[in-house]
Amino acid sequence: MSSAARASTPAVSQHPGQQRQPSALPQRLASLWDDFQAADPTAIHEVRKLTRRAAAEAQVSGLKGGVRREWRDLRRAAAPLRDHDAAGEHLRAALHELDASPTALTRFERAWSRRRAELLRQRPLPARPPRGYNLPADWQKKARKALKKDRRALLKQGKVLMKGAGSDDAEAWHTWRKQMKRYRYTLELSGKAPREVRDMLDLLGRVQDAEVLLELLGSEDAAFSKTHRAALQERELQAQAQARAEAHRQWPRLKKHLQEAGES
């Protein structure tokens, strides 16, 4: 059996007697696997998104043990490369905005390519995909329960951030973003997340991107001149502050959604 075919083979049901249905994610993963193994940036991104949906399915299906760990490990394997590629997209665009010279752009591209190769060397991508699994017949009931819990957590953390108690706490913003992403992926198991959630996640993503980029800019000496590094750092600080300010403005819309969804 090929590695890709293995991904479509469901694990043994952990709840005999329940009517269960196979998850569609392993088949989608199989279609991406060859490109993922080649470390194609688009495939890396798509696989990471699949693993987040798998985490949402695992939450509502009670999936435990080795299969859940395999999907979690796949997410962790894809994360450094996706973060690297996303950071590269931001930095490349920023250098063009700064009218960086061809020499400066070439310097960045070479350094970023070496960094990616080193990431792959240090953390090779898994050779085999995770096993498939089944969803229980009552997964929608469990999803509603998980959403209720997530809404309470989002409201509590959001109120703390919006009142200013954690407004400069990068970890608090990151925690809220992770909660929001889990909420979104659970919502999308049966439909589309509302605009209020997606818009806030875009803003929280920009806040976190800036945090990652600022850390990278402080350590990647080979990729930038001192002048460009300083300009890029200032750009990210401004972008982060603007995203947080816009999150404050968008909060009433999201808060209304969370409260009304909790009442329905």
Side-chain angles (χ1 to χ4, degrees), residues 184 195 197-207 209 243:
R184 174 184 180 170
R195 172 65 66 182
V197 174
R198 289 180 283 129
D199 286 349
M200 185 62 79
L201 269 174
D202 286 343
L203 293 168
L204 297 181
R206 189 64 186 96
V207 170
D209 286 344

Side-chain angles (χ1 to χ4, degrees), residues 16 24 39 43 61 146 199 215 242:
S61 65
D199 286 349
E215 184 176 347
Q242 290 169 359

Side-chain angles (χ1 to χ4, degrees), residues 159-171:
K159 289 175 182 177
V160 170
L161 288 170
M162 298 309 147
K163 287 181 179 178
S167 59
D168 295 324
D169 186 345
E171 188 59 35

Side-chain angles (χ1 to χ4, degrees), residues 78-95:
L81 274 186
R82 174 53 193 164
D83 289 345
H84 168 91
D85 293 340
E89 292 168 8
H90 276 293
L91 293 170
R92 190 175 294 111
L95 286 169

Side-chain angles (χ1 to χ4, degrees), residues 8-21:
S8 64
T9 304
V12 176
S13 171
Q14 298 181 13
H15 300 279
Q18 274 193 322
Q19 182 181 359
R20 299 170 70 83
Q21 62 187 53

Side-chain angles (χ1 to χ4, degrees), residues 27-204:
Q27 289 289 355
R28 298 182 193 174
L29 178 61
S31 69
L32 294 165
W33 193 252
D34 288 344
D35 288 338
F36 174 76
Q37 288 281 281
D40 173 76
T42 299
I44 294 289
H45 186 32
E46 292 302 315
V47 167
R48 191 183 189 186
K49 288 194 293 185
L50 282 183
T51 63
R52 293 193 184 283
R53 185 178 177 101
E57 289 189 346
Q59 180 186 22
V60 303
S61 65
L63 187 65
K64 302 181 186 301
V67 179
R68 188 167 188 166
R69 285 195 298 272
E70 288 171 15
W71 284 89
R72 179 202 63 194
D73 291 347
L74 179 60
R75 182 175 72 252
R76 291 178 176 176
L81 274 186
R82 174 53 193 164
D83 289 345
H84 168 91
D85 293 340
E89 292 168 8
H90 276 293
L91 293 170
R92 190 175 294 111
L95 286 169
H96 281 289
E97 287 178 13
L98 294 171
D99 292 324
S101 68
T103 300
L105 293 172
T106 298
R107 175 181 178 176
F108 166 73
E109 295 295 351
R110 287 177 177 172
W112 219 243
S113 179
R114 288 194 298 269
R115 186 177 187 276
R116 196 175 199 269
E118 182 61 18
L119 285 173
L120 276 169
R121 187 190 69 79
Q122 293 176 353
R123 300 184 63 174
L125 296 175
R128 301 172 65 184
R131 286 170 288 170
Y133 54 90
N134 294 320
L135 297 172
D138 64 345
W139 71 266
Q140 290 177 317
K141 178 180 178 181
K142 293 181 178 180
R144 289 192 293 271
K145 184 177 180 180
L147 288 170
K148 182 178 180 181
K149 181 179 178 181
D150 285 342
R151 279 192 292 268
R152 286 198 300 264
L154 288 169
L155 280 167
K156 181 178 179 180
Q157 181 75 350
K159 289 175 182 177
V160 170
L161 288 170
M162 298 309 147
K163 287 181 179 178
S167 59
D168 295 324
D169 186 345
E171 188 59 35
W173 283 93
H174 186 43
T175 297
W176 201 43
R177 180 181 180 233
K178 289 190 292 185
Q179 292 171 341
M180 192 85 65
K181 290 175 81 169
R182 183 176 63 196
Y183 179 66
R184 174 184 180 170
Y185 279 99
T186 304
L187 280 172
E188 291 182 345
L189 292 179
S190 56
K192 190 174 184 179
R195 172 65 66 182
E196 295 88 343
V197 174
R198 289 180 283 129
D199 286 349
M200 185 62 79
L201 269 174
D202 286 343
L203 293 168
L204 297 181

